[in-house]
Amino acid sequence: MKKFYIIANEDKQNTKRTLKRIGEYLSLKGASWMVHESREGDEGQRSDQGFKYTDPEKVPEDTDCVITLGGDGTLIQAARDLAGLNIPILGINLGTLGYLTQGNGQDVPEILEALLSGHYVLERRMMLEGRAEGVDGARFRDIALNEIVVTRKDSMKVTKLSISVNGRFFSSYTANGVILSTPTGSTAYNLSAGGPIAAPNCRIMILTPICSHTLNMRSIVLCADDTVRIEIVDGGEGEQAAVFDGDTAVDMSRGDVIEISRSTVETTMVKLNDDSFLDNVRNKMAGI
């Protein structure tokens, strides 16, 4: 790898210092690099062009790797905005847990040397696509790397949902909502809601209820090729929402439907160390 595009979360501490270290190191090694320039309004809703933070047209076609500076959220935003470009992404953690990232600001020289010398492997991570349709005909589509959550906006109230899989009725839920997670997202909201952890190279979807008002409701592991249909059975106008990776959201009301399936695009992530997935889970989760 010799050409890099850097996306930095300016709200994190030490961002400027870490960015300076990266630029100096890459320049010393004869590599080229470019920094994403954020602009006013980038934090708004996803644009008509399909991106929210990073315009994929601004990323040079010959980019070998995208480096994100921030936390898991920064990496996930980049993955969604740049989906389909097939450029490997590596995250440097400037936040707290950083489960998806490959090191922190102190590890910059080692990280960059591994990239420049080819000491890494690439992992392809599946994504989800959600297509929401309201009874009024309004439509919304987006993708997610971690999960799509259908939930009640008022966390102190439950919502009633009807779930079908591949056109066949599966179950009704009375709960705070449901999570449909990828293996990558299994260690995020899904884990907090009691769902199972899955190896990131699996090709599955995990359906997990949130605070279900039923004793026997548990997570269900589905095939990656399944299509899940979620219908809002009860609730007033805009009282529910479908939330993509905890970021973008669309309001939902009684009778509205969202269909979720595996996306045709994937995210390619850079893995530097030889730690197994289970080693990573143990090390990252030990202090939580």
Side-chain angles (χ1 to χ4, degrees):
M1 292 180 174
K2 292 294 183 181
K3 298 182 178 180
F4 300 88
Y5 190 83
I6 304 171
I7 300 172
N9 185 341
E10 299 175 358
D11 293 332
K12 299 293 184 180
Q13 291 185 349
N14 301 322
T15 296
K16 291 183 178 180
R17 183 169 62 182
T18 305
L19 188 57
K20 184 174 183 291
R21 294 184 67 196
I22 291 174
E24 290 175 347
Y25 193 94
L26 292 177
S27 297
L28 181 65
K29 295 293 184 175
S32 62
W33 53 283
M34 179 183 296
V35 179
H36 164 68
E37 295 183 3
S38 61
R39 64 184 189 278
E40 186 177 356
D42 278 357
E43 70 280 0
Q45 288 295 313
R46 296 178 77 79
S47 68
D48 293 339
Q49 290 75 34
F51 68 91
K52 183 176 180 182
Y53 299 92
T54 307
D55 185 349
E57 293 186 358
K58 302 295 184 181
V59 182
E61 293 183 1
D62 58 352
T63 298
D64 294 320
C65 180
V66 170
I67 298 175
T68 64
L69 302 181
D72 286 350
T74 306
L75 189 152
I76 290 170
Q77 290 165 3
R80 296 174 67 211
D81 284 342
L82 305 183
L85 295 187
N86 297 318
I87 300 174
I89 300 176
L90 178 139
I92 296 178
N93 184 35
L94 301 181
T96 51
L97 178 61
Y99 187 83
L100 300 178
T101 54
Q102 291 294 300
N104 55 47
Q106 301 302 316
D107 303 320
V108 164
E110 293 81 4
I111 291 172
L112 297 180
E113 187 57 37
L115 294 176
L116 294 170
S117 60
H119 293 159
Y120 58 85
V121 296
L122 301 180
E123 295 182 340
R124 298 194 67 83
R125 305 288 185 94
M126 67 171 283
M127 303 181 77
L128 299 176
E129 177 181 304
R131 302 167 299 277
E133 183 172 351
V135 292
D136 59 357
R139 298 188 178 187
F140 181 88
R141 173 192 170 278
D142 209 343
I143 58 175
L145 176 61
N146 265 6
E147 76 278 308
I148 298 174
V149 180
V150 179
T151 183
R152 185 86 179 216
K153 287 184 177 181
D154 187 340
S155 60
M156 299 303 293
K157 295 182 179 180
V158 297
T159 187
K160 295 182 180 179
L161 306 170
S162 176
I163 312 291
S164 298
V165 179
N166 299 329
R168 295 195 174 191
F169 174 74
F170 167 64
S171 183
S172 294
Y173 287 83
T174 300
N176 280 42
V178 293
I179 305 165
L180 198 64
S181 168
T182 65
T184 299
S186 68
T187 53
Y189 195 2
N190 167 75
L191 177 64
S192 298
I197 295 176
N201 59 343
C202 292
R203 293 297 181 263
I204 60 172
M205 298 187 291
I206 305 170
L207 180 67
T208 299
I210 306 169
C211 299
S212 176
H213 198 59
T214 308
L215 291 177
N216 61 352
M217 282 298 182
R218 295 292 183 268
S219 295
I220 302 293
V221 177
L222 302 171
C223 176
D225 294 327
D226 288 339
T227 297
V228 178
R229 183 181 187 273
I230 303 173
E231 179 180 354
I232 308 296
V233 176
D234 190 21
E237 183 176 353
E239 291 184 356
Q240 286 78 209
V243 186
F244 296 74
D245 280 335
D247 187 26
T248 54
V250 57
D251 290 345
M252 300 188 72
S253 307
R254 181 187 304 174
D256 290 355
V257 170
I258 182 170
E259 286 194 345
I260 303 171
S261 59
R262 178 180 178 178
S263 174
T264 57
V265 298
E266 294 182 322
T267 291
T268 302
M269 295 179 61
V270 180
K271 184 175 182 293
L272 298 181
N273 57 47
D274 295 326
D275 291 345
S276 70
F277 167 70
L278 294 180
D279 288 337
N280 198 25
V281 169
R282 182 184 66 250
N283 295 332
K284 294 287 188 179
M285 299 297 180
I288 296 180

